[in-house]
């Protein structure tokens, strides 16, 4: 993960990366063989540059570059050229008409509601047991629906119940700074922002952290779908919209409860530092580099869930295609990769943390 003033270039066949945030300079140099880099996350900051030879170097080595705003919005995502599977993408488009898309959507939301039920029961707050029962009943109803609108309606009702339970979740700041912390920063609050009536542009730290982590998840889902030959923008649950990766958003629904659970445990075990956040003039809560670094380190966790999910969707869509051979699973060499990432996170120095991804490196 890079932030501040960023430089990505090549030198003597090596990829050279550097960032400079408030005078803290970090550098890393990677050869073409044995570098283990698969992801570079860059937070918009104080400028910098990416050279064309560096872009070519990353493309040839199948390295993915994602540039994020601190709000969690994408600025850019650069992926190596992937040969599209025309037959599979045709099946992806036709699935919205032949019932396969409905079956995929039902499966995704069923798994999401199952995850939400587990999370809400773990909150141990007033009303959570009843909320868990309500979400469980909604999940059972999915078996009998036969339209996409019904699936969306059930998901929306369950989401309303789910986030109401989160609203009173306390957020811990150092007692020394409590008189400087806005009241609405001390609890999770409503999932929708008063600035937008949507989750975007959150006005308190926990919702801003959730938005940023969801953006990382969206990037991983998009990459996984592209890698199996699917178009990340052609989805079923999320309606077509310019600039939206609807299929990646569909995949996200399954993994969102895992992100929520991770954040819940992290909030319970950590005291938030006021310096991690800044309030803009309109009240939006902006994340600073230190907390963005912490959140970016979760990328391998979501990658581990996104890859088999993308493979399952591709398998479902391709099942009826005549003469289609099964692809080699992307996750065939995945278990040892997650282990290596976990080991890096336990006591790695700044340069090692600068390079940690699915095979050991994620910037």
């Amino acid at each position: 993960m890079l932030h501040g003033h960023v430089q990505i270039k090549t030198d003597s066949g090596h990829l050279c990366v550097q960032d400079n945030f408030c005078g803290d300079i970090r550098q890393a140099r990677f050869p073409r063989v044995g570098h283990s880099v698969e992801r570079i996350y860059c937070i918009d900051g104080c400028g910098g540059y990416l050279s064309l030879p560096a872009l070519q170097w990353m493309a040839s080595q199948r390295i993915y570059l994602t540039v994020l705003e601190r709000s969690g919005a994408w600025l850019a995502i650069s992926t190596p050229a992937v040969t599209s599977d025309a037959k599979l993408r045709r099946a992806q488009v036709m699935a919205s008409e032949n019932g396969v898309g409905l079956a995929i959507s039902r499966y995704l939301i069923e798994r999401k509601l199952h995850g939400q039920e587990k999370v809400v029961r773990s909150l141990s707050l007033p009303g959570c047991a009843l909320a868990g029962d309500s979400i469980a009943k909604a999940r059972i109803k999915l078996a009998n629906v036969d339209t996409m609108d019904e699936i969306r309606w059930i998901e929306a009702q369950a989401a309303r119940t789910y986030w109401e339970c989160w609203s009173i979740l306390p957020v811990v700041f150092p007692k020394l700074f409590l008189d400087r912390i806005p009241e609405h920063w001390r609890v999770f609050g409503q999932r929708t922002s008063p600035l937008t009536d949507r989750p975007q542009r959150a006005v308190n730290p926990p919702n801003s952290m959730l938005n940023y982590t969801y953006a990382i998840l969206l990037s991983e889902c998009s990459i996984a779908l592209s890698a199996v030959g699917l178009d990340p923008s052609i989805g079923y649950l999320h309606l077509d919209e310019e600039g939206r990766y609807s299929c990646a958003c569909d995949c996200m629904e399954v993994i969102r409860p895992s992100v929520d659970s991770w954040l819940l445990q992290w909030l319970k075990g950590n005291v938030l530092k006021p310096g991690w956040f800044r309030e803009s003039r309109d009240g939006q809560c902006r994340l600073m580099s230190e907390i963005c670094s912490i959140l970016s380190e979760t990328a391998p966790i979501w990658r581990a869930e996104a890859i088999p999910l993308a493979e399952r969707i591709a398998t479902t869509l391709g099942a009826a295609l005549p003469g289609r051979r099964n692809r080699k699973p992307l996750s065939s060499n995945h278990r040892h990769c997650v282990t290596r990432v976990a080991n890096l996170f336990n006591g790695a120095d700044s340069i090692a943390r600068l390079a940690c991804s699915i095979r050991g490196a994620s910037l």
Side-chain angles (χ1 to χ4, degrees):
M1 198 281 293
L2 302 173
H3 54 88
H5 190 276
V6 173
Q7 298 179 21
I8 306 177
K9 61 182 182 180
T10 58
D11 178 52
S12 300
H14 290 68
L15 181 69
C16 302
V17 296
Q18 174 181 305
D19 66 358
N20 183 346
F21 185 74
C22 298
D24 181 16
I25 300 176
R26 301 185 301 173
Q27 297 177 325
R29 184 181 176 93
F30 302 105
R32 285 193 173 90
V33 178
H35 56 74
S36 299
V37 179
E38 280 203 356
R39 299 288 191 278
I40 297 178
Y41 281 97
C42 181
I43 302 174
D44 68 307
C46 306
Y49 64 85
L50 164 67
S51 71
L52 288 178
L55 193 60
Q56 293 171 336
W57 195 100
M58 289 188 292
S60 66
Q61 295 294 307
R62 301 190 61 78
I63 295 174
Y64 298 80
L65 171 67
T66 301
V67 184
L68 296 172
E69 289 184 338
R70 297 175 192 275
S71 64
W74 281 5
L75 288 180
I77 180 168
S78 171
T79 63
V82 178
T83 302
S84 63
D85 188 328
K87 291 183 179 180
L88 185 60
R89 294 200 177 193
R90 191 183 305 277
Q92 184 181 4
V93 173
M94 294 176 62
S96 60
E97 304 295 334
N98 60 19
V100 177
L102 181 69
I104 290 173
S105 299
R106 186 187 292 116
Y107 167 78
L108 296 177
I109 296 303
E110 192 278 333
R111 283 193 55 186
K112 177 185 181 179
L113 297 189
H114 179 72
Q116 286 185 331
E117 180 189 349
K118 292 177 62 178
V119 172
V120 82
R121 293 189 189 280
S122 71
L123 286 172
S124 301
L125 294 171
C128 285
L130 290 176
D133 294 340
S134 177
I135 294 173
K137 291 177 182 178
R139 181 163 55 88
I140 294 173
K141 291 180 182 178
L142 283 172
N144 300 317
V145 302
D146 53 10
T147 69
M148 201 67 70
D149 286 341
E150 289 178 292
I151 294 177
R152 295 189 186 107
W153 187 86
I154 290 174
E155 188 275 334
Q157 296 302 310
R160 186 175 294 109
T161 302
Y162 178 74
W163 291 116
E164 280 300 321
C165 290
W166 279 74
S167 63
I168 60 174
L169 181 71
V171 179
V172 182
F173 284 91
K175 293 182 179 180
L176 182 63
F177 298 99
L178 278 182
D179 59 336
R180 308 177 191 176
I181 303 299
E183 286 289 338
H184 64 280
W185 281 27
R186 302 182 191 181
V187 293
F188 185 87
Q190 297 299 315
R191 182 69 186 110
T192 56
S193 168
L195 301 179
T196 60
D197 288 329
R198 302 176 66 184
Q200 288 75 22
R201 299 181 65 198
V203 296
N204 67 8
N207 278 285
S208 293
M209 293 169 67
L210 199 56
N211 287 347
Y212 186 87
T213 313
Y214 281 164
I216 295 172
L217 171 60
L218 180 60
S219 174
E220 294 298 336
C221 288
S222 300
I223 291 169
L225 289 167
S226 296
V228 297
L230 294 172
D231 187 333
S233 65
I234 302 175
Y236 309 111
L237 287 165
H238 292 79
L239 299 176
D240 294 341
E241 186 175 304
E242 185 177 355
R244 173 188 280 173
Y245 279 21
S246 296
C247 193
C249 291
D250 290 354
C251 286
M252 281 181 63
E253 298 302 327
V254 175
I255 310 173
R256 282 179 189 267
S258 297
V259 176
D260 304 341
S261 180
W262 178 88
L263 181 63
L264 173 64
Q265 297 305 316
W266 196 90
L267 289 173
K268 287 182 177 180
N270 292 272
V271 176
L272 299 187
K273 299 179 181 179
W276 286 348
F277 312 97
R278 180 176 63 83
E279 190 174 39
S280 63
R281 292 182 179 180
D282 63 355
Q284 181 181 356
C285 180
R286 306 277 297 193
L287 304 182
M288 305 306 287
S289 292
E290 186 175 355
I291 188 63
C292 286
S293 298
I294 293 171
L295 299 176
S296 296
E297 290 176 353
T298 65
I301 304 174
W302 321 133
R303 190 174 312 146
E305 296 196 38
I307 289 175
L309 184 59
E311 290 173 343
R312 182 184 177 102
I313 293 174
T315 300
T316 302
L317 290 170
L321 293 177
R324 179 174 176 78
R325 296 181 180 179
N326 292 329
R327 287 172 171 264
K328 181 180 179 181
L330 294 177
S331 51
S332 59
N333 66 343
H334 190 65
R335 294 181 182 176
H336 76 279
C337 303
V338 177
T339 302
R340 289 187 63 188
V341 171
N343 292 336
L344 275 176
F345 287 163
N346 294 327
D349 60 25
S350 60
I351 296 300
R353 291 167 74 103
L354 191 67
C356 52
S357 118
I358 189 171
R359 290 203 307 254
S362 175
L363 290 164

